[in-house]
């Protein structure tokens, strides 16, 4: 079987150009065409009475990507006060930013006054919000934990999973019983708040049946306040990074939800706007890590392996070490010439450059503690390895600076194939520039 001549969106020549523009590897590369295609698919999500797509910027927060989605009419979902300010500094209007956070920032009231929308994610957050805006009729959103979730390699809707953010094993959102028993309505009434939005998000599994069921349940929470104008159903739409893995069909999961919104309108006399918050769906397959194989090690015996050591690792892609996630890999010749690819292949384990046994790029699926071999083009030191599916939760969730490795640069490949630098490589001095020298006073 011939070795591939192209990764998801890079050829050997394009990969080499990315390395040249970035001033070396490793680096993150993003495809503008693929970002646009994913954006158009999300903007076509079925809806009954209007749609707001919010990009979960934690997936990949580079300002160029935020600005591109903004140009497409996509708003922002932020997960911290810092993300809010980062988005605003990139030119995103405050009124287009929604904040749902595990840690409500101390200056949240100032952000609200600038136009940022806040979803209270706990009763104490709602209390703090109410105290800041008592008697003003300030609008607020309520994030609800609906009692079930979906995520990762776990089939359970209630047990813990690292990518499941709904159900009794999750701390995200206000437990649904606190809405039904009057606790949350009492806080809203106490401070004279106006609930304008109900928000739910169940995780990154996006089982269609679970998702649709949660949507129907979430509509019941909208009945508690006649002031609710929108229902935000979060994101978590699964993307198949590898052959045979399913990708969420947005039309399939959206049509039944549209019917539920119409039924709600008939029963309640209110037309709710739908909000969704895709992150992975928008950027996962639009991004890749471009790295160089800097060493090759062979061990022998029954448990022996061929190891390919990258100049990247968990400092750039944490998902394999954290979740046991599997990323597609393509190896190109170091020459950057398609004609040099050849037909030879081998079984190899791919590892990162950190002094850490867990810096493993090819784990067994869902088992970060166990390694697996991949069938790849036979590699030589100096060859280029592309790790696709790295647009989401890689650059934004890296363990940069471990072993003092600098943060990798980012490039954007436009529709004509031209490569643009959108983030420079971090310098060594930038890693430690905030350290304070106390040697003269203590030792």
């Amino acid at each position: 079987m011939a070795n591939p001549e192209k990764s998801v969106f890079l050829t050997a020549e394009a990969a080499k150009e990315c390395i040249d523009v970035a001033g070396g590897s490793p680096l993150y590369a993003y495809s503008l065409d693929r970002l646009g295609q994913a954006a158009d698919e999300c903007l076509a999500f079925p809806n009954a009475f209007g749609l707001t797509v919010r990009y979960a910027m934690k997936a990949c927060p580079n300002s160029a990507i935020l600005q591109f989605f903004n140009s497409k009419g996509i708003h922002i979902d932020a997960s911290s006060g810092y993300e809010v300010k980062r988005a605003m500094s990139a030119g995103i209007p405050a009124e287009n930013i929604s904040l749902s956070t595990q840690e409500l920032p101390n200056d949240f009231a100032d952000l609200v006054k600038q136009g940022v929308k806040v979803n209270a994610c706990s009763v104490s957050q709602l209390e703090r919000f109410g105290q800041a805006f008592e008697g003003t009729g300030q609008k607020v959103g309520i994030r609800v934990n609906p009692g079930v979730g979906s995520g990762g390699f776990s089939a359970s809707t209630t047990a813990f999973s690292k990518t499941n953010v709904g159900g009794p094993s999750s701390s995200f959102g206000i437990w649904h019983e606190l809405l039904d028993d009057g606790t949350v309505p009492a806080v809203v009434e106490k401070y004279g708040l106006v609930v304008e939005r109900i928000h739910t998000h169940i995780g990154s599994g996006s089982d269609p049946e679970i998702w649709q069921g949660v949507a129907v349940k979430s509509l019941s929470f909208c009945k508690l306040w006649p002031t609710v104008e929108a229902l935000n159903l979060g994101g978590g739409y699964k993307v198949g990074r590898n052959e045979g893995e399913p990708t969420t069909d947005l039309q399939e999961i959206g049509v039944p939800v549209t019917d539920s919104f119409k039924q709600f309108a008939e029963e309640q006399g209110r037309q709710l706007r739908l909000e969704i918050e895709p992150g992975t769906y928008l950027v996962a397959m639009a991004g890749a890590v471009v790295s160089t194989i800097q060493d090759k090690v062979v061990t022998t015996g029954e448990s022996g392996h061929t190891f390919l050591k990258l100049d990247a690792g968990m400092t750039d892609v944490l998902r394999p070490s954290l979740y046991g996630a599997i990323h597609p890999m393509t190896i190109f010749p170091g020459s950057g010439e398609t004609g040099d690819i050849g037909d030879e292949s081998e079984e190899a384990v791919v590892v990162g450059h950190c002094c850490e046994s867990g810096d493993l790029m090819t784990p067994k699926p869902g088992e970060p503690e166990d390694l697996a071999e991949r069938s790849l083009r036979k590699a030589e030191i100096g060859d280029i390895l592309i790790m696709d599916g790295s647009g989401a939760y890689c650059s934004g969730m890296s363990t940069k600076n471990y072993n003092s490795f600098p943060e990798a640069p980012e490039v954007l490949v436009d529709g004509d194939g031209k490569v643009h630098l959108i983030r420079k490589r971090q310098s060594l001095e930038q890693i430690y520039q905030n350290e304070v020298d106390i040697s003269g006073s203590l030792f």
Side-chain angles (χ1 to χ4, degrees):
M1 183 176 178
N3 290 311
E5 296 185 356
K6 188 176 182 180
S7 67
V8 170
F9 63 87
L10 291 173
T11 61
E13 289 79 6
K16 186 66 164 58
E17 184 178 355
C18 288
I19 292 173
D20 291 343
V21 169
S25 64
L27 63 98
Y28 302 92
Y30 306 101
S31 163
L32 190 61
D33 281 349
R34 283 191 163 265
L35 290 171
Q37 178 184 344
D40 290 342
E41 291 173 359
C42 289
L43 289 166
F45 196 96
N47 64 89
F49 308 112
L51 172 72
T52 299
V53 177
R54 297 187 182 278
Y55 170 51
M57 65 175 286
K58 62 184 178 180
C60 188
N62 185 286
S63 61
I65 292 176
L66 302 184
Q67 292 161 357
F68 173 69
F69 286 145
N70 183 59
S71 75
K72 299 284 287 184
I74 292 176
H75 293 197
I76 293 297
D77 160 48
S79 295
S80 73
Y82 295 105
E83 282 194 345
V84 169
K85 294 175 183 177
R86 185 173 183 175
M88 291 171 65
S89 70
I92 309 301
E95 59 269 22
N96 288 0
I97 303 172
S98 173
L99 173 63
S100 303
T101 179
Q102 288 283 80
E103 180 185 351
L104 192 64
N106 292 331
D107 61 349
F108 73 88
D110 292 334
L111 299 178
V112 172
K113 290 174 184 177
Q114 293 179 68
V116 175
K117 302 178 186 300
V118 169
N119 297 313
C121 297
S122 69
V123 174
S124 66
Q125 284 191 14
L126 186 60
E127 282 277 359
R128 287 176 60 193
F129 191 96
Q131 290 165 6
F133 294 102
E134 185 172 4
T136 65
Q138 178 62 49
K139 293 181 178 181
V140 67
I142 304 290
R143 176 168 176 169
V144 184
N145 179 335
V148 296
S150 177
F153 293 91
S154 173
S156 173
T157 61
T158 56
F160 173 77
S161 168
K162 289 180 180 178
T163 57
N164 183 337
V165 292
S169 297
S170 171
S171 68
F172 292 84
I174 298 175
W175 187 241
H176 61 99
E177 292 176 353
L178 296 176
L179 276 74
D180 296 329
D181 70 6
T183 299
V184 173
V187 177
V188 170
E189 183 178 2
K190 175 183 176 182
Y191 295 108
L193 301 176
V194 176
V195 179
E196 65 171 340
R197 181 176 52 262
I198 295 296
H199 180 292
T200 58
H201 176 54
I202 61 174
S204 301
S206 197
D207 180 286
E209 290 188 9
I210 297 174
W211 201 84
Q212 291 163 16
V214 168
V216 172
K217 188 170 185 178
S218 299
L219 283 167
S220 70
F221 303 133
C222 297
K223 296 178 182 179
L224 295 174
W225 293 280
T227 53
V228 172
E229 300 173 348
L231 173 58
N232 187 317
L233 293 174
Y237 312 120
K238 186 172 178 59
V239 170
R241 288 175 168 83
N242 302 280
E243 186 176 352
E245 293 181 352
T247 293
T248 302
D249 186 328
L250 300 186
Q251 296 296 314
E252 177 187 353
I253 66 172
V255 169
V257 172
T258 296
D259 294 338
S260 298
F261 271 60
K262 290 178 179 178
Q263 183 178 347
F264 179 92
E266 291 177 4
E267 295 174 354
Q268 300 294 314
R270 281 185 286 150
Q271 296 181 352
L272 299 181
R273 187 175 185 85
L274 171 65
E275 296 187 2
I276 60 173
E277 294 175 344
T280 294
Y281 195 96
L282 281 167
V283 295
M285 297 309 290
V289 168
V290 180
S291 63
T292 299
I293 297 169
Q294 48 89 9
D295 205 350
K296 187 173 184 177
V297 172
V298 176
T299 58
T300 60
E302 185 177 338
S303 300
H305 299 282
T306 295
F307 293 93
L308 304 180
K309 296 185 179 182
L310 307 181
D311 64 355
M314 62 192 297
T315 47
D316 312 283
V317 183
L318 184 60
R319 297 181 72 255
S321 299
L322 185 62
Y323 305 129
I326 307 301
H327 285 259
M329 293 180 177
T330 306
I331 296 179
F332 293 136
S335 65
E337 298 289 336
T338 298
D340 294 337
I341 289 177
D343 296 324
E344 287 188 279
S345 63
E346 65 184 344
E347 300 293 316
V349 174
V350 181
V351 298
H353 55 179
C354 291
C355 187
E356 184 72 41
S357 59
D359 193 6
L360 175 66
M361 298 294 101
T362 55
K364 287 185 178 179
E367 299 182 29
E369 294 295 320
D370 205 349
L371 55 78
E373 293 182 337
R374 292 279 190 93
S375 180
L376 299 165
R377 172 187 175 273
K378 189 171 184 179
E380 303 293 338
I381 294 175
D383 281 350
I384 301 167
L385 187 143
I386 310 298
M387 188 178 297
D388 278 308
S390 300
Y393 300 100
C394 290
S395 173
M397 197 177 71
S398 68
T399 59
K400 67 177 183 181
N401 299 165
Y402 184 52
N403 289 172
S404 294
F405 285 113
E407 183 178 51
E410 295 175 298
V411 301
L412 183 65
V413 183
D414 69 22
D416 296 323
K418 185 177 179 181
V419 180
H420 305 263
L421 184 66
I422 59 173
R423 184 177 72 189
K424 299 177 182 178
R425 188 180 309 279
Q426 186 182 37
S427 69
L428 175 62
E429 291 74 22
Q430 287 174 322
I431 294 176
Y432 58 77
Q433 65 183 2
N434 290 332
E435 294 179 9
V436 178
D437 185 4
I438 60 169
S439 59
S441 59
L442 290 181
F443 45 82

